[in-house]
Amino acid sequence: MQRAVGSLPLGPALRARLAAAGFQTAQELLDTGPCGLSREIGISKEEALEALQVVRQECSGDAARTAGGAGTTRKCTALELLEEEQAQGSIITFCSALDNILGGGMQLTKITEVCGAPGVGKTQLCMQLAVDVQIPECFGGVCGEAVFIDTEGSFMVDRVADIAAACVQHCQLIAEAHQEEDHQKALETFSLESILSHIYYFRCRDYIELLAQVYLLPDFLSEHSKVRLVVIDGIAFPFRHDFEDLSLRTRLLNGLAQQLIIIANDHKSAVVLTNQMTTRIGQSQSTLVPALGESWGHAATVRLIFHWDKSQRLATLYKSPSQKESTIPYTITPHGFRDVQPPAVTQNTESTEMNPRKRPRREEEK
């Protein structure tokens, strides 16, 4: 990235400061980072971060043009796109009702946003997906790895271990039932230790760390080519505090959304984000809506909203380009994210014994 600083689409005053500080190439700016750049040229961390976003996007575009030559736009037919999507597969959730309304599970190359109130199960689904993405292909999985970016400190490794152990046990039962050679071979490497060692965890404590991590993620994914899931739990938390300039927040979020789209497409990964809910006060009533505003609502390809109906958890597919809006129940069990099981059917003999108004039949009457 030897592009000159003077050729970057930055403001004249900012370019002058960079030149005065001795910066000559785009690579030098990227190596400095937002905190270092802020100190070097005397601007805020937010302004430094926004400038580095522009620099990275320009350098990525230059790299693409260099690799692809004059015609960088990819040309393909709708049939080719359909065949690609069908060949990619999806990440199952272990809740068949949710998989069905999603069209098979969490789709690769798509951004899925999961919104909901605290305690409804957003992080539980993310931890379940971080395990499920590693299911071997012979069991219907994608045999990938996961990146888990945690902004709220909600990631519990003990809980992930429980979910992973249940997943391994489930695959073992399938292997015992079918007795196929590829199942037995896959189980040799599909273990609790293997699952935990292929979940790459990053803790980000503010929006600067989050943005920096996301912009450095392509390099990490190039070194870990089996990653098929990127989780950010949660996307709203770092951006809902210490922001006086809302227009700056919007620009940073738009840049973040563009970077996540690039990651999902270039690395054939599913990107799953969790979002908080906030109250929108209307003229006659107030409603709960996803945080970060309406403009952020365009960032995700698919949006799920988790909510409560009394004591029952429900998931509503609110936005999808290919599936109709639907609502399904789900539950959180010791084994992970699961379907709601129907109530057990009571035997007639048991109901007779439990009904004091019904006289039991004696042997001589039968």
Side-chain angles (χ1 to χ4, degrees):
M1 299 181 185
Q2 297 303 316
R3 182 166 173 175
V5 169
S7 66
L8 295 170
L10 302 171
L14 182 56
R15 288 203 302 269
R17 286 192 178 195
L18 293 171
F23 290 102
Q24 297 181 351
T25 66
Q27 185 62 53
E28 292 176 355
L29 294 177
L30 296 175
D31 291 341
T32 304
C35 295
L37 187 62
S38 172
R39 290 193 301 269
E40 289 281 344
I41 64 175
I43 60 176
S44 66
K45 291 181 180 178
E46 291 83 359
E47 292 172 325
L49 195 55
E50 187 176 4
L52 289 176
Q53 284 185 2
V54 173
V55 173
R56 185 172 288 275
Q57 289 172 2
E58 286 294 310
C59 292
S60 298
D62 291 345
R65 285 188 287 272
T66 301
T72 59
T73 303
R74 180 192 174 198
K75 296 181 178 64
C76 60
T77 66
L79 178 60
E80 291 171 341
L81 288 175
L82 177 62
E83 291 172 346
E84 282 185 13
E85 288 198 1
Q86 290 175 341
Q88 285 168 0
S90 302
I91 306 171
I92 64 170
T93 65
F94 265 85
C95 175
S96 59
L98 182 58
D99 289 339
N100 289 337
I101 67 172
L102 290 172
M106 296 291 178
Q107 299 179 10
L108 304 185
T109 73
K110 301 291 189 295
I111 299 178
T112 301
E113 183 183 31
V114 183
C115 311
V120 77
K122 304 185 297 296
T123 300
Q124 295 289 325
L125 176 60
C126 291
M127 292 188 291
Q128 181 75 60
L129 291 170
V131 171
D132 295 349
V133 71
Q134 303 183 51
I135 295 175
E137 293 179 357
C138 60
F139 290 105
V142 298
C143 194
E145 298 174 352
V147 167
F148 201 107
I149 300 175
D150 182 11
T151 69
E152 300 181 8
S154 301
F155 183 84
M156 305 299 292
V157 69
D158 292 342
R159 178 61 176 154
V160 177
D162 292 340
I163 295 172
C167 183
V168 171
Q169 183 181 22
H170 178 80
C171 292
Q172 288 173 343
L173 293 174
I174 294 176
E176 291 173 3
H178 292 82
Q179 294 294 326
E180 295 184 9
E181 183 178 351
D182 55 346
H183 286 172
Q184 299 296 335
K185 187 175 181 180
L187 285 175
E188 293 177 2
T189 56
F190 188 62
S191 63
L192 173 61
E193 293 76 14
S194 173
I195 291 172
L196 295 179
S197 64
H198 292 110
I199 298 175
Y200 305 107
Y201 176 79
F202 300 92
R203 179 72 168 96
C204 298
R205 291 170 175 78
D206 55 40
Y207 72 92
I208 294 177
E209 289 186 5
L210 173 61
L211 290 171
Q213 183 59 58
V214 170
Y215 276 90
L216 292 172
L217 206 52
D219 295 334
F220 179 86
L221 296 179
S222 297
E223 298 173 0
H224 299 79
S225 59
K226 291 189 67 177
V227 170
R228 292 293 175 268
L229 172 70
V230 175
V231 172
I232 301 180
D233 181 36
I235 194 70
F237 184 75
F239 290 97
R240 298 188 73 182
H241 308 281
D242 303 326
F243 258 104
E244 297 180 359
D245 188 350
L246 293 181
S247 63
L248 173 61
R249 188 184 80 163
T250 300
R251 293 196 301 272
L252 292 176
L253 284 170
N254 288 340
L256 176 62
Q258 289 179 345
Q259 183 69 8
L260 292 174
I261 291 171
I262 292 171
I263 289 171
N265 287 300
D266 290 355
H267 298 276
K268 300 294 185 289
S269 298
V271 175
V272 177
L273 318 171
T274 67
N275 193 0
Q276 301 172 349
M277 303 293 283
T278 188
T279 303
R280 176 186 291 169
I281 301 176
Q283 294 181 349
S284 58
Q285 62 180 1
S286 59
T287 55
L288 281 176
V289 297
L292 301 180
E294 293 184 1
S295 62
W296 174 254
H298 300 286
T301 313
V302 178
R303 173 175 269 182
L304 286 166
I305 296 183
F306 287 2
H307 52 102
W308 293 92
D309 181 11
K310 297 180 180 178
S311 61
Q312 177 61 63
R313 291 178 167 96
L314 299 175
T316 297
L317 181 61
Y318 183 78
K319 173 189 174 184
S320 172
S322 58
Q323 305 294 321
K324 66 178 182 180
E325 183 173 329
S326 305
T327 299
I328 57 97
Y330 66 93
T331 187
I332 307 297
T333 73
H335 299 304
F337 201 90
R338 294 292 188 272
D339 287 288
V340 173
Q341 297 299 320
V345 179
T346 306
Q347 297 294 329
N348 291 334
T349 56
E350 294 177 0
S351 61
T352 300
E353 293 174 0
M354 295 299 293
N355 190 347
R357 296 186 179 184
K358 191 169 182 178
R359 180 175 64 88
R361 297 176 65 184
R362 298 177 180 175
E363 289 295 328
E364 59 268 24
E365 295 176 348
K366 293 182 181 179

